[in-house]
Amino acid sequence: MAVLSTNLVAVRTRELADMIETLPVCLSPDHQYQRCCELLEQVAVALDLLSSVPPS
């Protein structure tokens, strides 16, 4: 489970970083803004899962 969650965090974080890098500074299209929010939520959930997994 921890490996899956770690991979999810890595993938979602990279997607989020890529989207943020391509957003214009003064303009944030609604669909990109919404997608960034969704990705942030998914990263937060994955981090919560990782923090609840006991060390092996």
Side-chain angles (χ1 to χ4, degrees), residues 1 3-4 8-9 11 16-17 20 23 30-31 34-38 41 45-48 50-52:
M1 180 68 170
V3 172
L4 177 62
L8 175 63
V9 169
V11 169
L16 182 60
I20 290 170
L23 282 175
D30 286 340
H31 70 281
Q34 291 300 326
R35 184 63 180 144
C36 285
C37 289
E38 290 170 9
E41 284 184 38
V45 168
L47 289 172
D48 285 342
L50 282 174
S51 65
S52 68

Side-chain angles (χ1 to χ4, degrees), residues 5-6 8-10 12-13 39-53:
S5 296
T6 302
L8 175 63
V9 169
R12 294 298 187 221
T13 302
L39 290 170
L40 280 172
E41 284 184 38
Q42 291 175 9
V43 168
V45 168
L47 289 172
D48 285 342
L49 288 172
L50 282 174
S51 65
S52 68
V53 174

